[in-house]
Amino acid sequence: MPWSVSLTYTEMQIPVPQPDGITNLPPFVYFDVDNRFTVVQRQRIRDAIRVYYCNGLTTTTRNGILKLNPL
């Protein structure tokens, strides 16, 4: 059943930091999170993603190189 996805997953919206000198970034990234995660677990996932994007962009702008930085 391809349409059952909305019943088992919740869309998570994370704001993307907009650093100086980098253009055309989307305002948000979206993730589908399984509803079997608790509210606390979903918040931990959200926090980890935010830290990843903030640290990644900080490193990127400091180095002047656009790349994904590993956690």
Side-chain angles (χ1 to χ4, degrees):
M1 274 192 194
W3 302 111
S4 67
V5 171
S6 63
L7 300 175
T8 60
Y9 293 90
T10 300
E11 185 178 85
M12 182 182 293
Q13 176 180 316
I14 308 287
V16 175
Q18 303 292 319
D20 294 335
I22 298 179
T23 59
N24 299 324
L25 292 176
F28 300 96
V29 290
Y30 300 90
F31 297 90
D32 290 328
V33 179
D34 194 306
N35 288 333
R36 291 175 288 185
F37 286 110
T38 67
V39 173
V40 172
Q41 289 171 321
R42 276 185 268 180
Q43 185 60 50
R44 290 169 74 187
I45 292 167
R46 181 186 306 273
D47 293 344
I49 293 168
R50 283 184 180 158
V51 167
Y52 178 83
Y53 275 103
C54 288
N55 288 345
L57 288 175
T58 300
T59 302
T60 298
T61 57
R62 190 171 48 238
N63 292 338
I65 299 170
L66 292 173
K67 66 176 184 175
L68 290 178
N69 298 308
L71 284 176

